[in-house]
Amino acid sequence: MSPRIHLPSGWVTFVFTDIEGSTRLAQLLGPDYRPVLWEHRRLLRDTLAATDGAELLTEGDSFFLAFPDAAAALTACLTAQRALSTHDWPNPEAAPRVRMGLHTGYAEPRDGEYASPEVHRAARVAAAAHGGQVLCSASTARLADPMPAGAALLDLGLHRLRGFDDRERLFQLVAPGLERQFPRPRTAEALAHNLPTQVTSFVGRETERGELDLLIRRHRLVTVVGAGGAGKTRLAVEVASGQVEAYPDGVWFVDIAAVTDPGLVAFAIAAVLGPRPEPGRPIVDTLVEHAALRRMLVVLDTCDAQPAACAEVISRLLAGGVGVRVLATSREAFGLPGEVVWRIPPLAVDPQPGRTESDAVALLLDRTAAARGGRPPEWTEAADLRRVVQRLDGLPLAIELAAARLRVLSASQLAARLDDVLGTLDAGRGVPEPPVDRGWAGNQQDTVDLVAAASGQSPPSPAHRAVQRSATERHLTMQATVTWSYRTLGPRASRLLRWLAVFAGPVDLATVEWMLGDDSLDPLSVLVDKSMMLAERHASGSTYRMLDPIRAYAARRLVETGEEHAARDRHVAWAQHALHRAHLGADGRPVTLSLYALDPLAGELRAALRWSATGGSARAGLRLAGGLDQWWRERGLSREARLWLFRLYGRIAETGEAIPEAELAAAYHLHSLHAGADGEFGEELRFSQRAEAAARQAGDAGLLARVLAGRAVPLIDMEQFTEAERICREVIDWADEQGVSGDALLASYNLAELLWRRGALTEAAELLGAVRLVEATRPVERGRRSVDMLLGMVALARRDLVAAHEHLLVALRARMGHGYHGRACDTVNAVAVRCALGGEPLTAARLFGAAQATRARLRGTPGIFGTYWLERQADLRRVLGDAAFDAAYGEGGELGLDEAAALAFAVEHPDMAADSVRFRTTGPVMPGPVMPGPMTPRPMTPRPMTPRPISRRDADRREEWA
């Protein structure tokens, strides 16, 4: 430096500059590096030294200057960076990238130089900068007034400079013509992580956290896969935060959501990890070299935005160094060697053992309290909150959005509105309007401008900003979340997703193929891979389930594409096919109907009924209702059955659809039975009469026999027993004449019950013996074993405990084995009577209590045996006393039906009792203790029923029916 240069004193702003990556640039250019270096020096001298700055030192590619004014120093740096970026370099890809650092401090020159720690601080500020970046200290920022036109300073926070114990607040100069987005400053602080700070508490998922933590420790690449809004990012950050101390070189979070081009994925990762692009060298190579000798965990979030590019960078990183591990979140797996794919489950909606609330409910409670100003929900809302999380399938984002709705809705109101999941959750959450442009201002997003990092261009275009907004807003609404995945589907996969939205629950592969009529394995695999469908493995095979919010979205798309009518009609056809298949065995032949086979179909059949009653064919809906007839009654759902039938009648009136009389008769007949089971006896009689009229119009003898066989039921319910018995006899005789006696089986059962009621036990036994074979040949009826149940009742009336025990347990085993829960209640009551007669009063009381509790849950009417059960309970109470009876009855009320049946099956056979005649060798046979009762035992000797004489009145009645 010439001694004639004037060096400022007092508050001096020191400036250091150098070329980033100058060594590699020199190796790249070879002999051409010297002209580039000279041109770089010329441009800096023209802009820096030509101002008020004093050039103290130039060495290689470095400059050291001193300015008396901070604003002038910043202006000079801005001018220099613009000159460098706009210069026409011989090789644009090898243009020098200069980093600059400024610091202002009090200093006095001596002997033509500065001996002050402020100079060292300025050098450290420059060392923290990246090529093309201008950094300054807080003192420079404070004294730089006025700022250059259009320029501003972006606060980068506190950083520890190398060699200094305190922290320095660093600012970045931002202005038109300068790059704006850079990696974090290169400071000595070397923050151990950049994981995002969460503003809400993390709730639940203890098991999932443990599993994922263990996988990361054991494997180098773990991909967390799940549907949008499943909580992948939050869980990954939570687990990664617990491993910060295990990685000396840090845990780094990179969000791929805003990356708009596959070629920029590596730049996004480099922007976080630290290495800058080097002239003439692929950024991936630079990134791999940077990470090779480091031990770090890289958390790549939302990789499904650029899956192929992410897979390439991940494979290179893992191959380049053994100390790098990657935790990725995505809606689909990469398929890389060594990749461990961990599918995140929805939050548990049922509480774990030892806990009062499930994770899903706990999250909703926490977020609801926050939404309501810290006030937790009332205890009266607990049941509705559980309904909400079950309806939302435990999806965390949906639960968060639901909690926001609870600011203005009660829990019951929200639960009632969730038929429209998307509309309810997304209400009031439109896409935000873009902010008003107030000129350039720095923010956190501006520190990672991938386009600028890749090409040096500035600033990002409005289109690019729109894509970035789309990425950041994808979790503001459920619709935006699902759209993010839906737009990546091909035509076949998107069509399959739409059509599967008509299903209410899981489906198997055969159902999917039946639905679409072709090989659907490929598009189904795509949906599973992209987490639009969940694959659930069972012993019998895999099923595929769609979460409710995704189903709601797909259903909207189905309507928008005009495919809804075709898809839902196809679903109704599948439901009819499934019902028919439930009656057949593996060989395609009819088997005994098990109502358990209908339990898994209930949701689908209701969905098919809903469409039939609102937009489809009412005739198809009546057929479905016919298939569900017994299931509805045996599950205590007769009221639901009646509601569906009324809706279907309304659909018929609305559309004018022609329904054959035979099908109307069948519908009216089952409606009558449901009304009786629901205690609506007037409605029962009315629809019984309508069924008879329609059956006569149809001219089908078998149908008419089935309808007429049900005529006695409303009469029995209204206690017109004599008229009911007459009707039953006439129907049986008429059906015999018409050759359709099997269709009058219900009349035989009703007649046997009426005979039992008035004590005609021998005739009842003969009748039942005659129809046993008929029952055995009818798959729909034989699972109920009504003949054995009624023979057991006859045996009880005769106090023949051996016959009663055998018949009743056969009936109970069949009814429980085939899912006839309502009828099983009657059999449990009958076994209770058998126990009371056999000297087991406490067991009898427990069984009575269990049967009554189950019948109350099923909302069933007691039927013809109701009075008998009450009389036997009264006798039992007299034997035990009120306290003992009530205690045992209450114990039984705590039992489920399965437990009650097990208790009944455990009752010892009378022949095995200690006082059984089987074990007596001498002496008279003495009866054991029995309850008092009006009926004396008589031997039951069933024999074929002989025809009774036909009266003139009977003949007239049959002629009238014919």
Side-chain angles (χ1 to χ4, degrees), residues 227-310:
K232 302 183 294 294
T233 301
R234 189 65 188 272
L235 179 61
V237 170
E238 184 71 16
V239 173
S241 65
Q243 298 204 11
V244 170
E245 295 182 359
Y247 295 94
D249 295 302
V251 175
W252 307 111
F253 179 87
V254 185
D255 188 1
I256 308 298
V259 179
T260 59
D261 187 276
L264 299 179
V265 169
F267 284 97
I269 299 173
V272 173
L273 297 188
R276 291 290 291 166
E278 297 174 318
R281 190 183 192 199
I283 184 63
V284 175
D285 292 346
T286 303
L287 184 60
V288 171
E289 181 182 285
H290 172 82
L293 300 179
R294 287 174 165 81
R295 187 179 174 194
M296 64 173 66
L297 174 64
V298 182
V299 182
L300 297 181
D301 189 40
T302 321
C303 293
D304 46 283
Q306 301 292 345
C310 286

Side-chain angles (χ1 to χ4, degrees), residues 613-890:
T614 56
S617 166
R619 184 180 182 185
L622 291 177
R623 291 173 180 168
L624 292 174
L628 284 170
D629 175 33
Q630 294 195 73
W631 183 84
W632 269 324
R633 282 201 300 280
E634 295 299 322
R635 295 294 180 268
L637 299 173
S638 286
R639 181 164 302 178
E640 177 188 327
R642 292 165 52 225
L643 289 174
W644 282 120
L645 288 169
F646 280 126
R647 291 175 182 176
L648 292 170
Y649 303 151
R651 179 68 177 169
I652 295 171
E654 177 187 348
T655 62
E657 183 178 5
I659 310 293
E661 291 292 336
E663 296 178 24
L664 278 177
Y668 292 151
H669 174 56
L670 65 92
H671 192 144
S672 173
L673 297 177
H674 286 306
D678 217 21
E680 297 292 340
F681 302 134
E683 183 180 320
E684 177 187 21
L685 180 60
R686 185 166 65 255
F687 277 93
S688 173
Q689 294 167 345
R690 291 182 184 180
E692 181 179 347
R696 292 186 184 282
Q697 289 289 328
D700 183 333
L703 171 64
L704 182 57
R706 291 193 298 276
V707 170
L708 293 174
R711 281 183 55 187
V713 177
L715 297 175
I716 294 172
D717 289 334
M718 292 184 288
E719 299 185 354
Q720 298 181 22
F721 301 119
T722 302
E723 180 65 13
E725 182 175 334
R726 181 187 66 77
I727 292 293
C728 287
R729 294 183 185 279
E730 291 175 351
V731 171
I732 293 170
D733 292 342
W734 180 84
D736 287 341
E737 289 180 356
Q738 300 296 319
V740 291
S741 56
D743 290 299
L745 192 57
L746 177 59
S748 298
Y749 294 153
N750 289 333
L751 179 57
E753 291 173 351
L754 291 165
L755 293 172
W756 169 88
R757 182 185 174 279
R758 65 180 177 84
L761 303 182
T762 300
E763 185 180 356
E766 292 172 349
L767 173 62
L768 292 168
V771 301
R772 179 187 284 280
L773 184 60
V774 177
E775 179 186 74
T777 61
R778 298 177 69 84
V780 175
E781 279 90 9
R782 65 186 175 212
R784 303 187 305 229
R785 297 301 286 260
S786 297
V787 169
D788 276 298
M789 170 65 190
L790 292 172
L791 286 174
M793 294 300 295
V794 170
L796 286 177
R798 291 173 169 175
R799 298 195 185 181
D800 183 348
L801 298 189
V802 172
H805 185 95
E806 292 174 351
H807 283 302
L808 292 175
L809 290 194
V810 166
L812 181 60
R813 188 168 286 108
R815 291 177 171 191
M816 290 301 298
H818 293 90
Y820 291 91
H821 294 167
R823 295 175 187 272
C825 285
D826 279 336
T827 313
V828 170
N829 273 320
V831 176
V833 176
R834 172 258 173 274
C835 290
L837 293 173
E840 300 180 61
L842 289 176
T843 301
R846 293 189 187 100
L847 290 174
F848 275 131
Q852 177 56 33
T854 300
R855 186 168 294 283
R857 286 194 294 271
L858 296 177
R859 298 184 295 275
T861 55
I864 196 171
F865 299 121
T867 302
Y868 180 71
W869 308 139
L870 293 176
E871 291 173 351
R872 301 286 77 76
Q873 290 176 34
D875 293 339
L876 191 60
R877 182 181 289 275
R878 284 192 291 271
V879 171
L880 289 173
D882 289 342
F885 176 84
D886 289 340
Y889 192 90

Side-chain angles (χ1 to χ4, degrees), residues 169-524:
R169 185 172 295 278
L170 297 181
F171 293 82
Q172 177 187 324
L173 179 64
V174 292
L178 297 189
E179 292 184 34
R180 289 172 169 79
Q181 297 171 2
F182 297 91
R184 66 187 186 283
R186 292 168 168 153
T187 57
E189 191 169 22
L191 293 173
H193 69 87
N194 70 333
L195 296 173
T197 301
Q198 307 297 334
V199 297
T200 57
S201 59
F202 188 89
V203 177
R205 289 208 186 274
E206 286 86 357
T207 301
E208 291 89 339
R209 277 189 284 181
E211 290 179 8
L212 190 55
D213 183 86
L214 186 61
L215 288 176
I216 296 171
R217 296 180 189 276
R218 290 180 175 178
H219 303 276
R220 295 186 63 205
L221 172 57
V222 178
T223 306
V224 179
V225 175
K232 302 183 294 294
T233 301
R234 189 65 188 272
L235 179 61
V237 170
E238 184 71 16
V239 173
S241 65
Q243 298 204 11
V244 170
E245 295 182 359
Y247 295 94
D249 295 302
V251 175
W252 307 111
F253 179 87
V254 185
D255 188 1
I256 308 298
V259 179
T260 59
D261 187 276
L264 299 179
V265 169
F267 284 97
I269 299 173
V272 173
L273 297 188
R276 291 290 291 166
E278 297 174 318
R281 190 183 192 199
I283 184 63
V284 175
D285 292 346
T286 303
L287 184 60
V288 171
E289 181 182 285
H290 172 82
L293 300 179
R294 287 174 165 81
R295 187 179 174 194
M296 64 173 66
L297 174 64
V298 182
V299 182
L300 297 181
D301 189 40
T302 321
C303 293
D304 46 283
Q306 301 292 345
C310 286
E312 180 182 357
V313 175
I314 290 171
S315 62
R316 292 286 306 276
L317 280 173
L318 296 179
V322 297
V324 178
R325 292 178 182 252
V326 176
L327 172 61
T329 73
S330 179
R331 303 188 190 192
E332 57 183 311
F334 301 114
L336 292 173
E339 177 186 17
V340 175
V341 180
W342 187 80
R343 293 194 176 274
I344 184 172
L347 286 171
V349 297
D350 297 317
Q352 299 295 321
R355 297 182 56 185
T356 58
E357 294 294 355
S358 66
D359 284 352
V361 173
L363 177 62
L364 185 57
L365 290 172
D366 181 84
R367 301 302 190 256
T368 302
R372 292 178 174 177
R375 297 187 304 276
E378 300 292 336
W379 66 268
T380 54
E381 297 181 287
D384 289 313
L385 292 176
R386 294 189 188 96
R387 286 174 54 203
V388 168
V389 298
Q390 288 170 352
R391 186 67 176 82
L392 298 178
D393 274 328
L395 199 63
L397 175 61
I399 293 173
E400 299 263 8
L401 296 174
R405 300 276 72 78
L406 288 170
R407 282 197 297 265
V408 294
L409 297 175
S410 68
S412 61
Q413 288 174 322
L414 178 61
R417 290 170 175 262
L418 284 181
D419 282 340
D420 179 13
V421 174
L422 297 182
T424 300
L425 298 186
D426 292 349
R429 287 181 173 265
V431 177
E433 293 295 326
V436 178
D437 185 8
R438 296 184 176 88
W440 185 260
N443 55 49
Q444 185 62 33
Q445 182 177 338
D446 297 331
T447 63
V448 191
D449 188 338
L450 301 178
V451 176
S455 60
Q457 298 176 359
S458 64
S461 67
H464 178 72
R465 286 294 188 197
V467 173
Q468 289 181 323
R469 281 198 305 271
S470 172
T472 57
E473 292 165 0
R474 69 189 189 279
H475 284 162
L476 290 182
T477 67
M478 280 307 305
Q479 178 140 333
T481 298
V482 185
T483 300
W484 181 264
S485 294
Y486 182 81
R487 66 184 184 183
T488 68
L489 300 178
R492 291 188 68 203
S494 59
R495 179 174 181 265
L496 178 60
L497 182 74
R498 295 192 300 269
W499 279 56
L500 290 183
V502 302
F503 285 91
V507 295
D508 57 18
L509 181 59
T511 298
V512 175
E513 292 175 338
W514 195 98
M515 185 71 177
L516 294 185
D518 62 7
D519 183 1
S520 303
L521 183 57
D522 285 345
L524 180 61

